[in-house]
């Protein structure tokens, strides 16, 4: 290592910088991601600093005492090969010590993550495309009267409670839609504007039909190309995307260090985001 960096939590402006680095890497983050991300765990964003300048960063988000997630792991391109990325990685892992830790790893890094104790749970495939405008029955914008039911639904689909983050994620500038039948929430989804098109996530639903209706509702409201990261086990939903003309590209693997968490993975049709799980 060229010189030992100072490791410290990031300020709101520095989290914005880290998300900007993600855009520079081609990760296409949401335009309003940084502020919402910090709500998940304000102290969970760490940076390595040399001479007062941030040279690497990471999100090490603690969702309570049992689960954490690693994301936004980036070393500034002009500072790579000096050990700064490893330093901030070690700090992030230490912060989440004692928890099951998740991450979404690209194929080129999966062997590296395996060497550090992470095991793959499933593949995620990013599908991109457009949906022709149409009226979708049984879907409606998320309103405060649905909040309790949606938070309950989310707790089935995610490994830990994240009520504060979800409350922010459901609101502007993001678009959120729910599927409601006979007064019962059968799924919900969120779309956010990105540098290129919109990303949809999460997309949680009781079945393929509900997931497809939510996707169509969100996509037609956005009026742009949409991108969604789909677990590979959702084969019926994937077949529907292909039939709509969606194409697959970017691929990751959800990997866990520690005991794999228990949740209703069969309800997950689109992960929330690769940065925070």
């Amino acid at each position: 290592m060229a010189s030992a960096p100072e490791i410290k939590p990031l300020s709101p402006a520095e989290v914005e910088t880290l998300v900007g680095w993600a855009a520079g890497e081609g990760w296409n983050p949401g335009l309003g991601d940084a502020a919402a991300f910090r709500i998940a765990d304000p102290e969970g964003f760490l940076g390595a600093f040399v001479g007062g300048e941030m040279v690497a960063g990471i999100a090490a988000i603690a969702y309570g005492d049992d689960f954490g997630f690693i994301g936004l792991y980036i070393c500034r391109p002009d500072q790579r090969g000096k050990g700064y990325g490893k330093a901030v990685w070690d700090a992030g892992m230490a912060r989440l010590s004692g928890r099951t830790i998740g991450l979404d790893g690209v194929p080129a890094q999966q062997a590296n993550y395996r060497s550090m104790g992470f095991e793959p749970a499933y593949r995620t495939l990013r599908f991109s495309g457009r949906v022709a405008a149409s009226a979708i029955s049984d879907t409606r914008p998320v309103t405060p009267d649905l909040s309790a039911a949606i938070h309950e639904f989310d707790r089935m689909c995610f490994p830990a409670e994240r009520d504060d983050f979800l409350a922010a994620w459901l609101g502007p500038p993001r678009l959120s839609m729910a599927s409601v039948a006979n007064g019962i929430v059968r799924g919900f989804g969120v779309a956010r504007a990105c540098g290129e098109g919109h990303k949809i996530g999460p997309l949680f639903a009781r079945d393929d039909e509900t997931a497809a209706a939510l996707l169509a509702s969100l996509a037609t409201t956005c009026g742009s190309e949409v991108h969604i990261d789909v677990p590979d086990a959702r084969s019926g939903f994937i077949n529907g995307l292909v039939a709509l003309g969606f194409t697959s590209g970017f691929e990751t693997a959800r990997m866990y260090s520690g005991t794999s968490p228990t949740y209703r993975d069969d309800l997950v049709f689109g992960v929330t985001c690769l940065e925070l799980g």
Side-chain angles (χ1 to χ4, degrees):
M1 188 181 300
S3 59
E6 177 187 9
I7 306 294
K8 62 181 182 179
L10 300 184
S11 69
E14 289 161 347
V15 175
E16 291 276 7
T17 297
L18 184 58
V19 172
W21 288 359
E25 294 290 325
W27 297 358
N28 196 30
L31 301 182
D33 279 358
F37 283 174
R38 288 193 75 254
I39 291 171
D41 183 0
E43 300 298 312
F45 298 85
L46 306 177
F49 291 79
V50 175
E53 292 188 3
M54 186 165 69
V55 295
I58 199 168
I61 306 302
Y63 291 105
D65 295 331
D66 299 320
F67 184 66
F69 201 85
I70 291 285
L72 283 173
Y73 175 39
I74 307 172
C75 185
R76 214 170 74 189
D78 64 318
Q79 297 294 331
R80 291 174 183 169
K82 300 179 181 180
Y84 300 143
K86 180 62 162 56
V88 80
W89 168 272
D90 289 345
M93 291 295 289
R95 184 174 193 272
L96 299 179
S97 178
R99 299 172 174 83
T100 290
I101 304 172
L103 59 77
D104 288 306
V106 298
Q109 291 297 322
Q110 288 166 20
N112 186 38
Y113 292 135
R114 276 181 179 271
S115 73
M116 294 184 283
F118 286 83
E119 292 296 330
Y122 60 84
R123 286 195 310 148
T124 298
L125 304 172
R126 177 166 296 172
F127 284 87
S128 302
R130 293 177 178 268
V131 177
S134 61
I136 308 299
S137 63
D138 296 331
T139 62
R140 48 170 284 196
V142 171
T143 48
D145 59 299
L146 295 177
S147 178
I150 285 178
H151 281 256
E152 182 178 353
F153 203 101
D154 187 74
R155 290 188 196 108
M156 293 192 294
C157 303
F158 192 75
E161 181 271 319
R162 53 175 181 173
D163 284 352
D164 290 344
F165 167 75
L166 184 62
W169 199 247
L170 291 168
R174 286 157 294 278
L175 168 70
S176 54
M177 302 289 289
S179 174
V180 183
N182 300 318
I184 297 173
V185 170
R186 295 189 55 78
F188 73 95
V190 177
R192 70 198 201 275
C194 300
E196 298 178 6
H198 287 70
K199 283 184 181 175
I200 293 177
L203 181 61
F204 298 157
R206 288 287 184 182
D207 50 48
D208 288 1
E209 182 179 8
T210 302
L214 282 165
L215 173 85
S217 183
L218 288 163
T220 56
T221 303
C222 291
S224 70
E225 183 178 44
V226 295
H227 315 278
I228 180 170
D229 296 303
V230 185
D232 63 348
R234 303 285 79 77
S235 57
F237 181 65
I238 288 172
N239 290 339
L241 292 175
V242 173
L244 288 171
F246 277 58
T247 57
S248 63
F250 189 67
E251 176 183 332
T252 60
R254 174 61 57 88
M255 306 180 77
Y256 294 111
S257 171
T259 304
S260 292
T262 300
Y263 63 98
R264 289 288 304 275
D265 58 347
D266 59 306
L267 306 182
V268 178
F269 289 81
V271 301
T272 303
C273 62
L274 302 184
E275 296 87 352
L276 268 66

